Each structure stands twice: as C-alpha cells, then as structure tokens.
Amino acid sequence: MKIDVEGLKSFIPEEEIWSLLNKNEKPTHDRVMEILEKAKLKRGLDLEEVSILIQSHEPEMLENIFKIAKQIKEDIYGRRIVLFAPLYVGNECINNCVYCGFRISNKECHRATLSSTELVNETLALENQGHKRLIMVYGEHPMYSPEYIKQTVETVYATKTKNGDIRRVNINAAPLDVEGFKTVKSSGIGTYQIFQETYHQETYQKMHPSGPKSNYLWRLYGLDRAMEADIDDLGIGALLGLYDWRFEVMALLAHSFHLEEKYGVGPHTISFPRIEPALGSDFTNDPEYAVSDDDFKKLVAILRLAVPYTGMILTAREPIEVRNEVINYGVSQIDGGSSIGIGAYAATDEETTKKSQFVLGDNRSLDEVVRELAEHNFIPSWCTACYRLGRTGEDFMGYSKSGEIKSYCQPNAILTFTEYLNDYASPETKKAGIKLIEDELPKVPEGKIKEQLKLKLERLYAGEHDMYF
Ligand code: SAM
Ligand code: SF4
C-alpha cells in the first residue's frame, strides 16, 4: 500500500474553529435560547451555533440542552439501545501512538494474534453470551492486510451455534487504500470505523511520532477512500483528552459535514472515547485537556443536537455511573460484556488480560447490562435489519430523516430482545425483559406491521430465530 496524500489539504478548518470559539466566548442568554429553539426542529446545527452551546454555562441552559437532547433521542430512536461487543483480533502494531498499550515501543505488551481456531472460539464465546453484532479491532501491521481482515470477518460470519450467529461485523482498523477497502467490503462488513484521535494537527504529530499513522492527511482522508470503495456506513471519532475537547467536537462536526457535502451522506456513527490508562504506558495526558464527567455529558448532548440522525457510541471505557447517565442524552449504541484482551472471551486468565490495550471502566456481563437497561426502560436491541436489507448510507439517512425507520426499528428491537430473552437471559433478566416487552407492545401503532410482529413473535416463541422487518 502506497501512502499518497499529494494534492490533499485538510478539510478541518482549524482557524475558523478557534475564531468561532473565541468570538462566542460569552454568549447571550437570548442567542442560546434561539439556538435551542432551532435544535428542537431536529435539523441539526452549524459550527457557529455549536461553538455557542459549548460555551454556554448557565445551569438553566445546560438543563435545557440535556432536556432537548433527551427528547430528540426519544423522538428519533425511541428508548432503544443497540448492543455490540468488541473482538480484538491482534495487537501487533507498527505505530507508536503514545497513549496506546499496543504501540511498537511498548516492550511490556504481550503481542498476540488469534489463530483461526482461537478466532472461532472467541466468536463462539461471544455468541454464547447472546451477541449478534461485533466490532473487530486490529493493530496496524502488514500482517493485518485487507485480505487477512476479509478472511477473519468471513470466519466470524461462518461460525454459528445452535441459536447463535454474528449478523453484523463492523471494523476498527487502520485506514486502507481504495483497493484495500473494496477487499474488506466484499466480506460483508457493516461500518468501517476510523478515529482521527485528535483533529489538531500539531497535537496529532506529537501523539503519533512514527509509523504510517504519523500521516495526518492519510488518516483524515481514510473514510473518503472507504466511501470511494462503496463502503457507505462510516464511523468517525476523536479520542478525548489529547487536546481541547471543544475543538474536537467542532472538528468532528466539520468531518461529518465534509462527508455529507462530498458524498451526500454523513457518518453512520460518531464515537467520543475518553482516554484510559494504557497498560505498560507512562503517558499521562495534559491535565488541561482532561475531560470532566460534566463536560463529557454536555458534549454528548450537544452532539445529539448538532447531528440528530447520526448514531452515537458509548463504550465500556466509561465507568457504569457515567454510562447510566450519559445514555439518556443521545447515545444509540453501547457495548456489553466486553473484554479487550486478545483471546479474552474464551479464556480469562491473567496472561490474557495483559494483552489488553487499556483498562475498562465497566466490567459488567452482557446479562447484567441488559437487565439494567430493561429496568431503566431502555429496550436492548440487536437489530441488524437495515444493513442486511441494504438500508445503508444515503438510503438509511432517507428512511431515518423521514421517520419511516422508526416503524421498523421498534418491532425489530422487540423481536431481537425477545430472541435474546428466550435463548440467553438469566431468570432475573428474563423477568425484567418480559415486563418491558409487555409495556412496549401496546405502543406499536395498530396496522399491518403490528399484525406481522405478533406472528413473528409467536414463531420466535416456537423456537425459530432471526425475525426482522
Ligand atoms: N489500530 C487501529 C487504529 O489505531 O486506528 C485500530 C485499533 S485501535 C486499537 C482503536 C482505537 O483505540 C483507537 O482509534 C484509539 O482511539 C483507541 N485507543 C487507543 N488507546 C487508547 C486508550 N489508552 N484509551 C482509550 N482508547 C484508546
Ligand atoms: Fe497501534 Fe491503533 Fe494502538 Fe495506535 S491506536 S498503537 S495504531 S493499535
């Protein structure tokens, strides 16, 4: 793969972002109110409006931001939360990202790559928990070529148990060239996720001193190349704590607008991981850039207002209390029962944990996560219907913005949750789940879909699997 960035310029308007943040340092009450009124229309916000909300500190305004974010989430996504798990395939890496346990100079890192038998065992362990959606994670190394990634994805899809199969594999791996993306796409992936980590070029260079990742533009244009290879479900993200979060939030939006303008469709998901201590790393991020829980909550809510139709992912890097709170303000996907050691689902010995990339904040099992969601009236969903029926990219956004998607999502969540309860749930989780489904069914609008939903539920109870609209 030849890294070629000739003729490319960054589409992140660094100067404009800073000048907006400086200009709007002390927004007036009326201007904030005006923007919040606009946000309620669910048509999104522009960079200037976001710079104002970011710097609005009045407690009453913050409450309003949270209230509107919650409302937008419920209008668009209902109370559904999509569940997934990360599957770490290999931690060989030729980059030297200063914050990551897998960086090449970390001599304490136990390097490992799953053999195909281990990959099958990991997949079986995940299926036996009840997972249907995975994100497969790879270090950046010539070993993890597009052909290799394709082959590992195909192995996962081909690994099935009596009740279980993986129905959607997303990818978090290095940016590829267009040919590489085409190869990976042919294995039937869902989203390809690439985090820019920090959009601030000077900080980026410091954090990524060597290896292919040191090329800011190659990474920044990674998802453009994915789009050119016809992968239209893309995930963007920033690793919070490397630079000023206010800048990163605006830059995430600028990235999203760039994709929307150029390809007619913005990213499918946005991620906003906060940096965690990495094993074997003495990197401590600049305390000036550490993101407090309050700021984290605020930035999630502002993102929800700014891009109402983009999925937002909250991972188990965060502690349980933060997850339980932030989930209210716009998050649409979380992971559950996650392990991030290589081979950690099938084996839980200490050696395997040492192969982890960083330390997780939420170590609950999937069953516990599901039970807590149900007890808080969130409907866990393992739905994969859109991508399997070709409702992706621009098509997906069309369905989503017209509101049509909702008539599928709610029944699909009920169906996949019922399947989970039948096959995997502990008695307590089953009790909480059945109650939630009993409350939810009457809310499905009367009509053809509801009739079909009832029939599909009967078929699930009779032992069939994988029902969707
Ligand atoms: N190697 C590929 C890459 O860097 O894009 C993909 C895998 S990498 C393990 C996935 C993501 O983990 C990175 O994009 C980064 O945001 C995140 N990450 C790395 N170190 C982290 C840390 N200490 N805390 C939280 N997230 C971290
Ligand atoms: Fe390698 Fe990705 Fe970790 Fe960087 S973040 S060291 S590229 S695995």
Side-chain angles (χ1 to χ4, degrees):
M1 182 179 71
K2 184 171 169 283
I3 294 187
D4 181 6
V5 289
E6 225 183 280
L8 295 181
K9 273 197 346 228
S10 172
F11 49 77
I12 302 298
E14 283 199 17
E15 276 183 28
E16 185 193 345
I17 292 177
W18 273 120
S19 87
L20 287 173
L21 284 167
N22 291 331
K23 177 178 146 203
N24 295 309
E25 217 172 349
K26 292 200 175 71
T28 64
H29 179 93
D30 288 354
R31 184 72 178 109
V32 176
M33 284 302 286
E34 201 179 284
I35 296 167
L36 291 179
E37 282 309 310
K38 180 177 170 196
K40 285 184 192 163
L41 303 174
K42 292 181 278 206
R43 287 198 215 115
L45 300 175
D46 63 25
L47 285 184
E48 169 133 38
E49 290 158 344
V50 169
S51 75
I52 292 173
L53 290 190
I54 283 178
Q55 300 188 99
S56 151
H57 303 293
E58 269 182 73
E60 183 200 338
M61 290 301 125
L62 285 178
E63 277 318 305
N64 278 331
I65 293 175
F66 295 136
K67 219 164 94 190
I68 299 168
K70 196 168 176 198
Q71 191 60 51
I72 292 179
K73 178 191 146 68
E74 295 206 8
D75 288 352
I76 297 176
Y77 300 89
R79 292 191 62 81
R80 292 180 304 282
I81 296 286
V82 168
L83 283 158
F84 69 95
L87 170 52
Y88 278 65
V89 182
N91 65 10
E92 298 285 347
C93 194
I94 53 171
N95 289 319
N96 213 1
C97 312
V98 296
Y99 45 80
C100 179
F102 297 165
R103 70 193 183 285
I104 190 167
S105 62
N106 184 5
K107 299 291 172 246
E108 286 175 50
C109 176
H110 290 55
R111 303 285 162 187
T113 299
L114 296 176
S115 67
S116 49
T117 312
E118 285 165 336
L119 181 59
V120 167
N121 288 340
E122 287 291 273
T123 309
L124 291 173
L126 283 156
E127 287 174 351
N128 287 332
Q129 281 189 40
H131 278 294
K132 304 284 183 251
R133 304 170 61 109
L134 301 184
I135 180 139
M136 292 174 67
V137 183
Y138 307 75
E140 179 159 1
H141 194 277
M143 273 169 73
Y144 310 138
S145 64
E147 292 71 24
Y148 175 84
I149 295 178
K150 174 178 153 91
Q151 189 194 322
T152 49
V153 172
E154 286 171 351
T155 301
V156 166
Y157 278 135
T159 303
K160 299 174 194 284
T161 63
K162 182 170 135 281
N163 297 333
D165 55 351
I166 297 302
R167 300 172 187 164
R168 177 172 176 137
V169 170
N170 299 328
I171 300 288
N172 187 317
L176 306 172
D177 57 18
V178 176
E179 281 312 305
F181 278 121
K182 283 187 185 159
T183 302
V184 173
K185 181 180 162 76
S186 69
S187 62
I189 61 158
T191 309
Y192 202 105
Q193 223 181 37
I194 302 172
F195 302 161
Q196 188 64 22
E197 321 297 9
T198 171
Y199 285 91
H200 186 250
Q201 289 213 42
E202 199 188 314
T203 309
Y204 187 92
Q205 288 327 135
K206 276 193 233 154
M207 299 297 155
H208 309 100
S210 60
K213 196 163 165 180
S214 62
N215 193 321
Y216 177 93
L217 287 177
W218 178 252
R219 193 161 179 96
L220 188 66
Y221 277 88
L223 292 174
D224 289 58
R225 294 191 299 279
M227 202 59 108
E228 278 152 36
D230 228 17
I231 300 180
D232 54 6
D233 270 6
L234 308 175
I236 63 172
L239 183 58
L240 299 174
L242 300 180
Y243 187 58
D244 193 317
W245 67 265
R246 302 170 307 158
F247 177 90
E248 305 292 13
V249 166
M250 306 247 313
L252 279 169
L253 293 173
H255 195 171
S256 177
F257 299 155
H258 161 82
L259 292 171
E260 191 151 2
E261 274 158 30
K262 195 161 162 196
Y263 302 100
V265 54
H268 189 65
T269 56
I270 296 190
S271 301
F272 28 83
R274 281 195 290 185
I275 196 152
E276 295 298 328
L279 302 183
S281 164
D282 51 10
F283 170 73
T284 38
N285 52 326
D286 189 335
E288 190 193 343
Y289 299 138
V291 181
S292 68
D293 289 353
D294 284 345
D295 284 342
F296 187 63
K297 197 169 109 179
K298 177 174 168 182
L299 76 87
V300 171
I302 291 176
L303 281 171
R304 181 70 304 146
L305 269 47
V307 279
Y309 293 94
T310 305
M312 288 181 21
I313 301 180
L314 179 68
T315 68
R317 289 174 178 86
E318 296 297 337
I320 300 173
E321 317 77 66
V322 174
R323 294 239 282 183
N324 283 346
E325 163 118 53
V326 170
I327 207 168
N328 291 298
Y329 306 123
V331 169
S332 52
Q333 296 190 26
I334 65 169
D335 51 342
S338 295
S339 295
I340 57 171
I342 314 291
Y345 291 107
T348 47
D349 57 298
E350 215 180 296
E351 276 305 294
T352 309
T353 318
K354 281 194 206 150
K355 293 172 199 153
S356 291
Q357 185 194 9
F358 49 82
V359 181
L360 285 183
D362 179 352
N363 289 299
R364 288 173 297 173
S365 67
L366 179 63
D367 188 72
E368 286 169 299
V369 172
V370 169
R371 181 163 66 246
E372 280 200 37
L373 285 174
E375 284 169 353
H376 290 94
N377 278 327
F378 286 107
I379 310 163
S381 174
W382 286 263
C383 180
T384 50
C386 278
Y387 128 87
R388 290 159 84 198
L389 294 172
R391 296 192 295 251
T392 63
E394 219 172 332
D395 273 357
F396 174 80
M397 281 299 165
Y399 276 108
S400 181
K401 290 186 179 167
S402 68
E404 207 182 326
I405 196 81
K406 267 178 79 177
S407 48
Y408 300 121
C409 295
Q410 188 193 26
N412 282 338
I414 294 174
L415 288 168
T416 54
F417 187 28
T418 303
E419 186 178 349
Y420 175 85
L421 294 174
N422 285 348
D423 291 340
Y424 304 101
S426 65
E428 305 95 283
T429 303
K430 202 164 182 170
K431 199 168 141 209
I434 288 173
K435 182 178 174 309
L436 183 69
I437 287 175
E438 280 169 358
D439 292 346
E440 199 57 25
L441 267 177
K443 297 184 201 153
V444 178
E446 293 303 326
K448 225 159 121 194
I449 291 195
K450 188 163 187 167
E451 290 313 310
Q452 286 176 17
L453 172 62
K454 287 183 190 155
L455 293 175
K456 286 183 193 291
L457 280 170
E458 276 170 28
R459 287 170 60 188
L460 281 180
Y461 285 123
E464 283 189 60
H465 288 86
D466 202 10
M467 302 276 147
Y468 55 90
F469 290 93

